[in-house]
Amino acid sequence: MDPLPKTMKAWVSDRLGTPRTCLTLHTDHPLPSPLPPTSTNLLIRISYAALNPADVALLSIFPPGLLPFRRTPIPGLDFSGTVVAAGPDATFSLGTKVCGTLSVRLVATGHGSLAEYVLVPEGLVAKVPEGLGMREAAGLGVVGQTATVAMKATDGGLSTEKGRRKVLVNGASGGLGSMFVQLAKAEGVRVVGVCSERNAELVKGLGADETIDYQKHAPLPAYLAQTHGEEQFDFIFDCVGDFELYRDSPAYLKPNGKFICLSLGSSNGVVPLLKSFLPTFLGGTPRKFTTLNLSPSGDLMREVVRSYEEGKIKSIPIDSEYSMEDVLDAYDRVISKRSRGKVIIRIGE
Ligand SMILES: NC(=O)c1ccc[n+]([C@@H]2O[C@H](COP(=O)([O-])OP(=O)(O)OC[C@H]3O[C@@H](n4cnc5c(N)ncnc54)[C@H](OP(=O)(O)O)[C@@H]3O)[C@@H](O)[C@H]2O)c1
């Protein structure tokens, strides 16, 4: 192993705001401490980081400077990299390739993945499986873990033995939607993906049996009522935050079906949740409604890696790759909501 440098490149936020208003690239940021690592901690030299819409939200939630250990917080959740130093109780050897998502606690205390090095407990990461590139491994974290948790909200999976046959994935071409299409298809159910025409081939390539162009067939709920009113869906995974899609769902979601909402929309999920409790004569929607907020963990990361090894996740679509210097352009791409799969940052070897 090469000797460690004294400083590193890292993006740092100095106020609440958007990436363009609050982030600066530091070239002389101190390495994480304490070094050498203690207990089971690993120092990881980051190869790639992947961006998520949540990174942008977090920049406007956790103020820098609020706490003594948050003076110069580094953003970013997902990463892949190589173990370059390990605490005395760690079991991973130096040189092991790992991937993971930083925990809420680490991000809240300013330890993000948009840096050349990160220090994490060994339990938070998974070994990068054979055959998976480091770029793709970085892209698996948040979206793979969220889709894995959401699949559990289907009450024991989509097993066709339970008579479940059909799911709808709204936003199927995004980082998260592309995971749902693959994980649902692996259960043997019919998968219908909602995406624009330009992304239809990508979504079919991930395993969708049918795609619906949401631009051509607006409003989507009326189109679904016409085309899927007879053979209704068992589950709807909404990665877009489309309130009308839930409100009108009795026309295309089975009475015992479930609407799983991943993107909360302007009411933060409160309006649809209220409607799911209200009786219909008071304007309620008689369909189950669930939201979830990922709390990343090493156990979940290892489950995601297992899904890749078992062939349930076959592909991690990459929208684009940017250098460390071009992180602000990369964030613009995420904010545009037009990315087809993951936006990746190339950081090191
Ligand atoms: N709850 C959680 O724990 C959790 C975890 C991860 C993500 N999320 C949320 O889930 C959402 C999706 O995340 P992501 O990472 O997949 O985002 P993303 O990769 O940025 O999604 C972009 C994709 O969405 C598609 N899209 C945009 N508007 C659409 C519409 N009206 N109908 C259908 N497709 C549309 C775009 O395709 P076109 O260009 O063709 O429109 C693009 O391919 C975000 O709101 C994110 O915050 C929540």
Side-chain angles (χ1 to χ4, degrees):
M1 285 279 147
D2 295 335
L4 292 174
K6 293 264 176 297
T7 59
M8 64 177 184
K9 283 188 198 169
W11 282 89
V12 170
S13 86
D14 59 8
R15 72 198 81 167
L16 289 180
T18 63
R20 285 214 175 263
T21 60
C22 71
L23 290 182
T24 316
L25 179 60
H26 290 200
T27 53
D28 56 354
H29 199 79
L31 256 63
S33 64
L35 289 180
T38 55
S39 99
T40 64
N41 287 330
L42 306 173
L43 182 70
I44 294 162
R45 190 178 62 227
I46 295 183
S47 304
Y48 293 92
L51 302 187
N52 289 283
D55 300 338
V56 180
L58 289 172
L59 286 175
S60 62
I61 293 175
F62 288 132
L66 179 70
L67 302 166
F69 45 78
R70 234 190 106 69
R71 289 236 165 80
T72 54
I74 300 169
L77 292 162
D78 287 341
F79 62 92
S80 65
T82 306
V83 177
V84 293
D89 304 324
T91 58
F92 285 12
S93 44
L94 301 192
T96 307
K97 308 276 187 208
V98 294
C99 58
T101 298
L102 295 169
S103 63
V104 174
R105 189 180 67 80
L106 281 168
V107 173
T109 52
H111 302 90
S113 61
L114 284 177
E116 288 179 300
Y117 294 87
V118 70
L119 189 64
V120 297
E122 181 175 78
L124 198 71
V125 299
K127 289 185 187 169
V128 175
E130 195 77 7
L132 182 65
M134 294 298 272
R135 223 163 69 116
E136 286 71 16
L140 258 184
V142 165
V143 293
Q145 293 192 34
T146 306
T148 300
V149 176
M151 293 298 283
K152 293 179 205 246
T154 59
D155 311 323
L158 296 169
S159 166
T160 44
E161 284 162 23
K162 294 184 179 173
R164 289 166 177 166
R165 287 192 295 275
K166 211 161 93 170
V167 306
L168 182 76
V169 180
N170 192 28
S173 55
L176 187 53
S178 63
M179 291 293 125
F180 279 127
V181 171
Q182 297 181 76
L183 288 173
K185 194 64 218 169
E187 299 293 334
V189 295
R190 183 169 174 78
V191 178
V192 179
V194 179
C195 59
S196 60
E197 181 56 35
R198 76 185 179 101
N199 290 330
E201 209 170 305
L202 168 83
V203 173
K204 284 204 176 119
L206 295 170
D209 300 280
E210 177 189 337
T211 55
I212 295 174
D213 178 352
Y214 71 92
Q215 292 163 340
K216 185 168 163 199
H217 297 299
L220 181 63
Y223 182 76
L224 288 172
Q226 259 176 31
T227 52
H228 293 269
E230 284 195 2
E231 204 198 312
Q232 299 189 320
F233 293 102
D234 295 278
F235 294 97
I236 295 177
F237 296 104
D238 181 17
C239 308
V240 173
D242 184 346
F243 169 59
E244 281 78 22
L245 188 63
Y246 173 65
R247 188 196 59 198
D248 298 348
S249 62
Y252 40 81
L253 179 62
K254 288 180 183 168
N256 63 350
K258 204 181 211 182
F259 191 99
I260 301 170
C261 168
L262 288 311
S263 184
L264 293 180
S266 54
S267 76
N268 233 355
V270 172
V271 173
L273 193 62
L274 278 178
K275 283 182 87 70
S276 72
F277 289 124
L278 283 177
T280 29
F281 70 90
L282 288 178
T285 302
R287 291 295 179 273
K288 278 192 197 145
F289 178 88
T290 309
T291 61
L292 73 89
N293 246 327
L294 175 69
S295 183
S297 77
D299 285 343
L300 272 173
M301 194 67 228
R302 287 182 282 281
E303 250 187 89
V304 176
V305 163
R306 234 179 355 264
S307 292
Y308 173 82
E309 289 171 327
E310 290 168 1
K312 294 179 178 170
I313 298 173
K314 294 185 180 358
S315 157
I316 298 100
I318 304 291
D319 172 79
S320 44
E321 181 182 314
Y322 293 82
S323 70
M324 187 66 161
E325 284 67 27
D326 292 330
V327 158
L328 297 181
D329 293 340
Y331 270 126
D332 285 345
R333 179 70 181 153
V334 172
I335 292 166
S336 78
K337 297 191 178 174
R338 295 281 80 83
S339 50
R340 301 149 43 98
K342 298 304 299 175
V343 175
I344 302 284
I345 311 299
R346 186 179 60 257
I347 298 181
E349 290 294 299

